[in-house]
Amino acid sequence: LSKAQFAVTSANVRGNGCLALMQPYALLDREIACTDGKTRPLRIGVIGLAPPNVVGCSASGRSDSIETFDIVETAERLVPQMRGDGADIVVALCHSGIKNGSYAPRMENAAVPLSAVAGIDVVLAGHTHERFPDPTGKVESSIDPQRGTLHGKPCVMPAPYGRDLGV
C-alpha cells in the first residue's frame, strides 16, 4: 500500500499494519472538459466503505487488531467533512450489496441506505455478485434497476470476476 500510485481509502475499517496506511477518504482534483469547450476544476471526494463483518472474513481469523464501524453512520459522519474540505461531488465506493428493506446498524448490504445519506452523489456497489443496473429488474420504493438509481442517485454494481465494467 505504501507504494500505491493511487489513493486507497478505508473509512469504516481501521487497525494496525496495512490498514493504518489507508485514509478514510480522498480528494481528487481534476480538470474537466465541459461541453462549452472550457476546462473547469472539479474536486471529487471518494470514500471507501466495507461490510462491518469483514473482520470475520480474514484468512488469519484474527480480529484483535482490526475494528469495523457501521457503513451508514460512518458516511453520515465523514461526508459533511468531505464537503467542508471542498468536495464538489462525493463518490461512495461501497463493497456492499443492494437489498431493499429497513436500515439496521452494521448491516452487510447497505448500499440502499448509504445512497440516502445527504451529500453522496454516486454509489459504486459490489459484494453480492449481482449486476446493477438491470433492465429486467423490478422497480421498488427506493431502487430503480432500470434507470440504475438508489434513492434517485446513480449506482452501478458490475457483475463479479471482471465480467462487466460498470459505467
Side-chain angles (χ1 to χ4, degrees), residues 4 10 16 31 36 57 69 72 79 93 97 103 110 130 150 161 163:
S10 175
N16 297 327
E31 292 290 324
D36 63 2
C57 298
F69 305 93
V72 175
V79 169
L93 304 178
Y103 164 75
E130 298 168 315
L150 303 177
Y161 312 115
R163 284 187 266 172

Tab-separated table of all heavy atoms in Angstrom, residues 4 10 16 31 36 57 69 72 79 93 97 103 110 130 150 161 163:
chain	number	residue	atom	x	y	z
A	4	ALA	N	1.585	2.311	-3.535
A	4	ALA	CA	0.471	2.513	-4.468
A	4	ALA	C	0.568	3.898	-5.104
A	4	ALA	O	0.853	4.877	-4.424
A	4	ALA	CB	-0.862	2.350	-3.742
A	10	SER	N	-10.266	3.657	3.255
A	10	SER	CA	-10.995	2.738	4.127
A	10	SER	C	-11.549	3.558	5.281
A	10	SER	O	-10.840	3.875	6.220
A	10	SER	CB	-10.063	1.641	4.651
A	10	SER	OG	-10.748	0.821	5.575
A	16	ASN	N	-4.247	-1.927	12.773
A	16	ASN	CA	-2.791	-1.888	12.664
A	16	ASN	C	-2.329	-2.341	11.279
A	16	ASN	O	-3.116	-2.788	10.464
A	16	ASN	CB	-2.173	-2.789	13.728
A	16	ASN	CG	-2.496	-2.308	15.122
A	16	ASN	OD1	-2.618	-1.110	15.351
A	16	ASN	ND2	-2.661	-3.230	16.048
A	31	GLU	N	-9.266	18.418	-13.787
A	31	GLU	CA	-9.722	19.427	-14.734
A	31	GLU	C	-10.665	18.707	-15.695
A	31	GLU	O	-10.279	17.731	-16.337
A	31	GLU	CB	-8.546	20.042	-15.496
A	31	GLU	CG	-7.628	20.884	-14.629
A	31	GLU	CD	-8.279	22.186	-14.186
A	31	GLU	OE1	-9.046	22.787	-14.967
A	31	GLU	OE2	-8.018	22.607	-13.039
A	36	ASP	N	-18.983	23.315	-23.326
A	36	ASP	CA	-18.785	24.645	-23.928
A	36	ASP	C	-17.344	24.855	-24.384
A	36	ASP	O	-16.964	25.944	-24.791
A	36	ASP	CB	-19.201	25.746	-22.952
A	36	ASP	CG	-18.362	25.781	-21.687
A	36	ASP	OD1	-17.407	24.973	-21.553
A	36	ASP	OD2	-18.668	26.605	-20.805
A	57	CYS	N	-14.099	-12.362	7.874
A	57	CYS	CA	-13.725	-12.943	6.585
A	57	CYS	C	-12.216	-13.045	6.402
A	57	CYS	O	-11.755	-13.523	5.384
A	57	CYS	CB	-14.290	-12.090	5.446
A	57	CYS	SG	-16.075	-12.000	5.429
A	69	PHE	N	-16.743	-0.332	11.677
A	69	PHE	CA	-17.822	0.567	12.058
A	69	PHE	C	-18.932	0.480	11.023
A	69	PHE	O	-18.706	0.075	9.886
A	69	PHE	CB	-17.299	2.008	12.169
A	69	PHE	CG	-16.130	2.141	13.096
A	69	PHE	CD1	-14.833	2.056	12.610
A	69	PHE	CD2	-16.321	2.318	14.452
A	69	PHE	CE1	-13.742	2.160	13.466
A	69	PHE	CE2	-15.243	2.423	15.320
A	69	PHE	CZ	-13.957	2.342	14.829
A	72	VAL	N	-23.278	3.243	7.136
A	72	VAL	CA	-24.106	4.448	7.035
A	72	VAL	C	-23.686	5.489	8.074
A	72	VAL	O	-23.529	6.671	7.749
A	72	VAL	CB	-25.605	4.100	7.153
A	72	VAL	CG1	-26.464	5.353	7.168
A	72	VAL	CG2	-26.020	3.176	6.010
A	79	VAL	N	-19.046	12.432	5.314
A	79	VAL	CA	-19.424	13.138	4.083
A	79	VAL	C	-19.515	14.653	4.313
A	79	VAL	O	-18.993	15.427	3.482
A	79	VAL	CB	-20.706	12.547	3.464
A	79	VAL	CG1	-21.250	13.438	2.349
A	79	VAL	CG2	-20.420	11.145	2.920
A	93	LEU	N	-17.465	4.411	-2.668
A	93	LEU	CA	-17.038	3.082	-3.096
A	93	LEU	C	-17.458	2.142	-1.979
A	93	LEU	O	-16.880	2.166	-0.893
A	93	LEU	CB	-15.520	3.029	-3.279
A	93	LEU	CG	-14.899	4.027	-4.232
A	93	LEU	CD1	-13.381	3.865	-4.245
A	93	LEU	CD2	-15.467	3.858	-5.624
A	97	GLY	N	-23.867	-4.834	-0.921
A	97	GLY	CA	-24.891	-5.147	-1.899
A	97	GLY	C	-26.106	-4.249	-1.829
A	97	GLY	O	-26.225	-3.384	-0.966
A	103	TYR	N	-33.181	-0.014	7.198
A	103	TYR	CA	-31.799	0.100	7.672
A	103	TYR	C	-31.664	-0.568	9.038
A	103	TYR	O	-32.544	-0.446	9.890
A	103	TYR	CB	-31.392	1.571	7.765
A	103	TYR	CG	-30.148	1.795	8.580
A	103	TYR	CD1	-28.897	1.482	8.064
A	103	TYR	CD2	-30.222	2.287	9.883
A	103	TYR	CE1	-27.755	1.667	8.814
A	103	TYR	CE2	-29.089	2.481	10.637
A	103	TYR	CZ	-27.854	2.162	10.105
A	103	TYR	OH	-26.722	2.336	10.852
A	110	ALA	N	-25.659	-2.593	2.591
A	110	ALA	CA	-26.157	-1.271	2.994
A	110	ALA	C	-26.121	-0.228	1.884
A	110	ALA	O	-26.219	0.961	2.151
A	110	ALA	CB	-25.341	-0.776	4.183
A	130	GLU	N	-24.114	-9.482	-8.033
A	130	GLU	CA	-25.253	-9.193	-8.895
A	130	GLU	C	-24.874	-8.046	-9.829
A	130	GLU	O	-23.834	-7.419	-9.658
A	130	GLU	CB	-26.467	-8.808	-8.044
A	130	GLU	CG	-26.895	-9.934	-7.122
A	130	GLU	CD	-27.895	-9.500	-6.070
A	130	GLU	OE1	-27.700	-8.436	-5.452
A	130	GLU	OE2	-28.852	-10.242	-5.867
A	150	LEU	N	-30.467	4.478	-6.865
A	150	LEU	CA	-30.880	4.192	-5.494
A	150	LEU	C	-31.227	5.529	-4.875
A	150	LEU	O	-30.395	6.439	-4.880
A	150	LEU	CB	-29.747	3.533	-4.698
A	150	LEU	CG	-29.166	2.237	-5.256
A	150	LEU	CD1	-28.010	1.763	-4.370
A	150	LEU	CD2	-30.227	1.160	-5.375
A	161	TYR	N	-15.965	-10.949	-10.904
A	161	TYR	CA	-14.823	-11.563	-11.581
A	161	TYR	C	-14.451	-10.879	-12.887
A	161	TYR	O	-13.974	-11.525	-13.815
A	161	TYR	CB	-15.070	-13.065	-11.802
A	161	TYR	CG	-15.567	-13.757	-10.560
A	161	TYR	CD1	-16.834	-14.306	-10.510
A	161	TYR	CD2	-14.758	-13.837	-9.422
A	161	TYR	CE1	-17.296	-14.924	-9.353
A	161	TYR	CE2	-15.216	-14.445	-8.265
A	161	TYR	CZ	-16.478	-14.993	-8.235
A	161	TYR	OH	-16.939	-15.601	-7.107
A	163	ARG	N	-16.309	-9.690	-15.247
A	163	ARG	CA	-17.159	-9.986	-16.400
A	163	ARG	C	-17.759	-8.730	-17.004
A	163	ARG	O	-18.112	-8.708	-18.180
A	163	ARG	CB	-18.273	-10.949	-16.018
A	163	ARG	CG	-17.762	-12.376	-15.879
A	163	ARG	CD	-18.911	-13.302	-15.682
A	163	ARG	NE	-19.069	-13.449	-14.242
A	163	ARG	CZ	-20.049	-14.056	-13.655
A	163	ARG	NH1	-21.017	-14.577	-14.366
A	163	ARG	NH2	-20.112	-14.155	-12.347
